[in-house]
């Protein structure tokens, strides 16, 4: 599974992209967030306030209950500020 | 048509190219978004410096390559479903930009002006809150990520209010809250 971080989630985790193999019981975006939090203080800080974290699976916006599986591209980012 | 690029664009040349040979078009509305030299709604009345730590020196636009193009395609397709457009264009830049530089170009063209005006406003409002871009501003007191503004979400929502019978479909398109 490829996990991408953008904007301040990237600076807080200290990485733009990581390839991970979460255990099989990590079946949703929400469970993945919990698992990622335990990776270190940077990750814990990035996911501290989920109100301002958005997620995408395979480049489509999803909620925390959306399934994740091996091979997915999962991205985390704050609300968009383009234009 | 949509494009995501680092380099600047020439709005006049883009307009000419988009409309070339399409004599059935009665009107084209274009919007150019620029980097401002201020933070939020506070007007910058001094040059950047310690006395005016809210002045923005430069801004870096980060995006999600791949998803950005996909979302801009979807936003353009949605505009073309809602209005009878004969031509449309979104060009969005990324990378480091200085105050006064162009960020985004939106053009909507139709046989009649009302559709062109409405579609152009829709395209800008939707891409601001739905396309995966993030602004990082440099100020003399340090850099910070720009927070999403409630007024931009409001602007996007007003197009959902008149979504009619296929509101559920458009609801799916909304990023999760």
């Amino acid at each position: 599974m490829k996990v991408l971080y953008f904007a301040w989630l990237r600076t807080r985790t200290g990485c733009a992209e990581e390839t991970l193999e979460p255990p099989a019981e990590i079946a949703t975006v929400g469970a993945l967030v919990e698992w990622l939090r335990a990776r270190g203080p940077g990750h814990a800080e990035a996911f501290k306030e989920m109100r301002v974290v958005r997620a995408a699976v395979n480049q489509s916006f999803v909620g925390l209950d959306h399934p994740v599986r091996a091979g997915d591209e999962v991205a985390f980012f704050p609300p968009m500020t383009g234009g | 048509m949509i494009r995501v690029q680092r380099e600047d664009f020439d709005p006049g040349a883009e307009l000419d190219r988009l409309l070339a040979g399409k004599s059935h078009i009665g009107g084209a509305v274009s919007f150019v978004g620029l980097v401002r030299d201020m933070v939020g709604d506070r007007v910058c009345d001094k040059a950047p410096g310690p006395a005016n730590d809210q002045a923005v020196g430069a801004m870096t636009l980060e995006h999600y390559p791949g998803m950005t193009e996909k979302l801009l395609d979807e936003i353009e397709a949605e505009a073309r479903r809602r209005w009878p457009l004969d031509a449309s264009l979104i060009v969005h830049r990324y990378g480091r930009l200085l105050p006064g530089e162009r960020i985004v170009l939106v053009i909507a063209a139709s046989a009649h002006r009302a559709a062109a005006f409405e579609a152009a406003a829709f395209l800008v409002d939707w891409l601001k809150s739905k396309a995966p871009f993030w602004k990082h501003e440099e100020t003399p007191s340090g850099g910070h990520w720009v927070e999403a503004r409630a007024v931009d979400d409001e602007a996007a929502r007003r197009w959902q209010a008149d979504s009619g019978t296929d509101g559920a479909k458009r609801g799916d398109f909304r990023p999760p809250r």
Side-chain angles (χ1 to χ4, degrees):
Chain A
M1 182 185 296
K2 193 159 83 172
V3 181
L4 309 178
Y5 306 94
F6 293 96
W8 51 258
L9 279 107
R10 175 175 54 76
T11 52
R12 287 181 193 174
T13 57
C15 75
E17 177 180 333
E18 49 189 350
T19 301
L20 301 168
E21 284 179 34
E25 65 264 27
I26 304 299
T28 64
V29 174
L32 180 65
V33 167
E34 289 305 316
W35 186 74
L36 289 170
R37 272 191 181 124
R39 285 181 63 75
H43 285 68
E45 177 68 19
F47 292 110
K48 198 168 72 179
E49 214 184 336
M50 289 307 291
R51 189 179 57 82
V52 284
V53 176
R54 303 286 180 267
V57 172
N58 300 327
Q59 304 192 353
S60 292
F61 295 115
V62 297
L64 292 176
D65 54 352
H66 192 275
V68 291
R69 50 183 68 87
D72 278 350
E73 176 177 300
V74 184
F76 295 102
F77 42 80
M80 286 70 78
T81 54
Chain B
M1 191 166 49
I2 67 110
R3 254 174 28 233
V4 182
Q5 61 188 45
R6 187 180 286 277
E7 60 273 20
D8 192 17
F9 50 81
D10 177 342
E14 297 289 351
L15 189 61
D16 286 347
R17 195 154 48 230
L18 188 69
L19 304 185
K22 297 177 187 134
S23 54
H24 52 288
I25 290 174
V29 172
S30 62
F31 170 87
V32 177
L34 306 165
V35 180
R36 285 186 301 177
D37 60 351
M38 58 181 151
V39 168
D41 292 325
R42 179 186 175 280
V43 175
C44 173
D45 50 5
K46 295 176 192 163
N52 188 359
D53 64 4
Q54 294 304 295
V56 176
M59 148 182 307
T60 300
L61 266 157
E62 180 172 327
H63 77 116
Y64 183 170
M67 186 169 173
T68 306
E69 289 82 355
K70 179 179 175 241
L71 262 288
L72 292 180
D73 270 336
E74 286 177 17
I75 291 166
E76 184 188 42
E78 182 65 24
R80 297 189 80 129
R81 262 193 297 277
R82 293 185 185 205
W83 289 278
L85 301 182
D86 295 298
S88 55
L89 176 68
I90 304 172
V91 182
H92 207 303
R93 295 177 68 191
Y94 64 91
R96 190 169 182 270
L97 302 172
L98 297 170
E101 282 200 71
R102 290 179 276 261
I103 305 174
V104 64
L105 170 68
V106 160
I107 301 176
S110 185
H112 302 286
R113 71 182 182 282
F117 273 115
E118 286 180 21
F122 167 85
L123 286 167
V124 178
D125 286 346
W126 270 40
L127 79 83
K128 272 189 99 73
S129 59
K130 294 177 199 297
F133 285 96
W134 302 276
K135 291 187 180 121
H136 185 266
E137 287 177 344
E138 297 168 26
T139 68
S141 56
H144 66 269
W145 291 97
V146 174
E147 281 185 38
R149 300 166 76 217
V151 64
D152 289 335
D153 281 348
E154 260 334 293
R157 250 196 299 277
R158 81 186 156 107
W159 298 106
Q160 273 151 7
D162 49 58
S163 59
T165 51
D166 53 349
K169 191 188 84 212
R170 284 178 192 136
D172 291 338
F173 187 57
R174 205 164 40 211
R177 297 253 142 229

